[in-house]
Amino acid sequence: MTAVPIIKLSNGSHVPALGLGTWQSKPEEVRAAVSYALRDAGYRHIDCAWGYGNERDVGEGIRDSGVPRSEIFITSKLWSTWHSRVEECLDQTLANLGTDYVDLYLVHWPVSLNPNGNHPNFPTLPDGTRDIDHSWKLSDTWKQIEVVFQKGKVKAIGVSNFSKAKLEEILPTAEIVPAVNQLELHVYNPQHELIKYLKSKNIVPEAYSPLGSTNSPLLTDRTVLNIAQKYSLRASDVLIGYLVSKGFIVIPKSVTPSRIASNLNGSLTAVNKLEAADIAELDGLAAAGKQKRFITPPWPVDLGFDNWPNYK
């Protein structure tokens, strides 16, 4: 088995470049998926979140695997109704996972929802739009994130779904620069300018939804298929391998054992076969008219992203 590349973060932490995503994985399925990924498929990085509602089952899967906690890199995320209560949210995550620390803790979205609203996850206003706490500052969320890092409850800290504009709301007062920014990144949404900015700040990009969404057009894209055919690879190998080749952390999600295994092994094979010309061709797909995001929750605020629907 080809070794998974290791990426060093700005704080000195080492992250396996490939991890198992757990978003939208049903509780009864994610336990088996996590256990298989760790025990049988060679994964050592699990990405989870309070907002996914399945962290207790992820924790069970980790224990079922028999792999020591010290060998596993666990990422979790602060949900939007908890921006003013970071440590409380983290403590729930730690209890659910059955661990006393996580390796990386991210602010899930740069949006604070009303913590006293009509729903614990997605409070809404009478008109049905999400109930935003406009009085809360992202910089104050980040201060609380820094506190749990200093306490040792998390080994590295970062953000998720942050544009340059949102990062610039926290960086002027940050004592610790985010180590990671987890984003929707794939050949149809490469976010080249944001990636340049992240690299200038020594923030590692992390790609979720690397294959797009269910029934994704990425898997049938002619350019992707031609490159896959050239090297006797699958389209998914090319899509994930492309991102790993760029130095990103990548977290493909699956609960199917064969896909969990192939997402790791096939993409590592692709990393060894893809040439600079292939990467350049894939880099150009979005600009050639295929730009598309698949994950655009209806936040009624301006996130500062290009190619984002206007929900305001």
Side-chain angles (χ1 to χ4, degrees):
M1 184 184 294
T2 305
V4 175
I6 301 296
I7 294 175
K8 186 176 181 180
L9 302 182
S10 56
N11 73 323
S13 293
H14 293 85
V15 189
L18 279 161
L20 179 72
T22 60
W23 180 48
Q24 293 184 329
S25 295
K26 297 175 184 175
E28 64 273 16
E29 295 176 338
V30 78
R31 177 174 179 173
V34 167
S35 179
Y36 175 83
L38 293 169
R39 185 186 62 240
D40 301 308
Y43 284 76
R44 287 298 181 269
H45 179 183
I46 305 295
D47 180 87
C48 47
W50 186 97
Y52 299 167
N54 59 11
E55 287 190 319
R56 190 177 300 277
D57 303 273
V58 170
E60 294 287 351
I62 290 169
R63 286 185 288 281
D64 290 347
S65 75
V67 175
R69 169 69 183 92
S70 59
E71 294 182 15
I72 305 168
F73 191 97
I74 301 176
T75 298
S76 188
K77 308 176 194 78
L78 172 80
W79 184 242
S80 290
T81 45
W82 296 88
H83 277 224
S84 61
R85 303 167 293 160
V86 169
E87 189 165 13
E88 192 177 342
C89 185
L90 172 62
D91 285 346
Q92 289 188 24
T93 281
L94 296 177
N96 284 332
L97 291 172
T99 183
D100 56 4
Y101 71 97
V102 293
D103 298 275
L104 176 63
Y105 199 51
L106 308 177
V107 181
H108 203 151
W109 287 93
V111 181
S112 178
L113 291 170
N114 182 358
N116 301 306
N118 62 4
H119 190 277
N121 294 36
F122 294 104
T124 55
L125 296 172
D127 65 1
T129 60
R130 294 183 178 181
D131 186 1
I132 306 295
D133 182 358
H134 293 283
S135 68
W136 187 259
K137 294 181 180 177
L138 272 179
S139 56
D140 290 332
T141 303
W142 190 250
K143 286 175 185 173
Q144 291 193 26
I145 292 281
E146 290 175 330
V147 168
V148 295
F149 170 77
Q150 288 153 357
K151 288 185 174 183
K153 289 185 171 185
V154 301
K155 303 303 182 185
I157 52 178
V159 296
S160 181
N161 300 297
F162 272 57
S163 64
K164 178 182 177 182
K166 288 299 178 184
L167 279 163
E168 289 178 346
E169 289 184 30
I170 67 172
L171 289 177
T173 55
E175 292 181 25
I176 304 165
V177 174
V180 167
N181 189 6
Q182 188 179 118
L183 300 157
E184 180 184 347
L185 291 169
H186 46 70
V187 293
Y188 283 10
N189 191 49
Q191 306 199 65
H192 294 309
E193 290 305 312
L194 178 55
I195 298 303
K196 287 179 190 173
Y197 174 76
L198 296 179
K199 290 186 175 181
S200 77
K201 300 294 184 184
N202 203 19
I203 300 171
V204 174
E206 180 169 11
Y208 70 75
S209 297
L211 306 178
S213 62
T214 305
N215 301 318
S216 168
L218 274 63
L219 294 167
T220 54
D221 182 89
R222 179 46 52 193
T223 299
V224 173
L225 290 173
N226 287 344
I227 293 172
Q229 185 176 22
K230 180 166 66 169
Y231 299 117
S232 300
L233 297 166
R234 289 169 290 247
S236 57
D237 302 337
V238 172
L239 291 166
I240 301 170
Y242 158 76
L243 295 163
V244 175
S245 295
K246 293 169 78 69
F248 301 170
I249 304 166
V250 190
I251 48 166
K253 172 255 173 177
S254 181
V255 294
T256 306
S258 61
R259 288 182 190 156
I260 291 171
S262 66
N263 283 344
L264 187 137
N265 297 323
S267 62
L268 293 179
T269 301
V271 169
N272 291 325
K273 291 188 174 184
L274 290 172
E275 298 177 352
D278 303 316
I279 302 296
E281 190 173 9
L282 294 168
D283 273 343
L285 287 180
K290 293 181 176 178
Q291 168 62 44
K292 183 175 177 61
R293 290 181 182 270
F294 298 99
I295 315 299
T296 55
W299 303 115
V301 293
D302 183 3
L303 296 186
F305 282 122
D306 296 329
N307 310 113
W308 189 277
N310 182 11
Y311 295 116
K312 291 180 70 177

